[in-house]
């Protein structure tokens, strides 16, 4: 068995660890603060989903040979450039 030794460095750090507070506590958020956080997170989610939808639409249009520039305005005009087929032809 190895002998467990305590070096001088370990002994020098003991007072520092014994005087340090064990935990830091954070105050509880109010209902208004929680509501503001929820609104912010929900908005960020909607922005991400809007971007994902625009990228998906642009990618599907590119598969059909319709190239759309980056940005919201090119996606807004995309339905005008797409040709809508009757249900019997699409099937």
């Amino acid at each position: 068995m190895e002998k467990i030794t305590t070096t001088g460095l370990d002994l020098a750090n003991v007072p520092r660890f014994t005087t340090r507070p064990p935990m830091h506590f954070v105050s509880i958020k109010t209902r208004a603060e929680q509501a503001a956080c929820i609104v912010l997170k929900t908005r960020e989610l909607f922005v991400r989903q809007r971007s994902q939808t625009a990228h998906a639409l642009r990618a599907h249009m590119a598969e059909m040979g319709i190239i759309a520039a980056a940005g919201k305005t090119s996606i807004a005009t995309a339905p005008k450039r797409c040709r809508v087929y009757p249900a019997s032809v699409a099937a």
Side-chain angles (χ1 to χ4, degrees):
M1 279 181 40
E2 288 186 30
K3 183 178 176 185
I4 299 174
T5 60
T6 306
T7 64
L9 290 174
D10 292 335
L11 292 175
N13 288 327
V14 169
R16 185 174 61 134
F17 292 124
T18 57
T19 59
R20 183 183 300 176
M23 294 183 115
H24 299 283
F25 294 98
V26 179
S27 61
I28 298 173
K29 292 181 183 174
T30 64
R31 287 183 182 258
E33 290 172 333
Q34 288 178 344
C37 288
I38 290 170
V39 168
L40 180 64
K41 288 180 182 180
T42 304
R43 182 186 180 283
E44 288 176 351
L45 174 66
F46 286 153
V47 169
R48 279 196 318 267
Q49 288 176 341
R50 181 182 64 188
S51 298
Q52 290 173 351
T53 304
H55 293 313
L57 178 60
R58 188 177 291 114
H60 290 305
M61 289 174 27
E63 287 180 2
M64 293 188 231
I66 302 168
I67 305 301
K72 289 189 283 186
T73 55
S74 67
I75 293 298
T77 60
K80 296 176 187 173
R81 290 183 278 161
C82 293
R83 187 175 189 187
V84 179
Y85 293 102
S88 60
V89 176

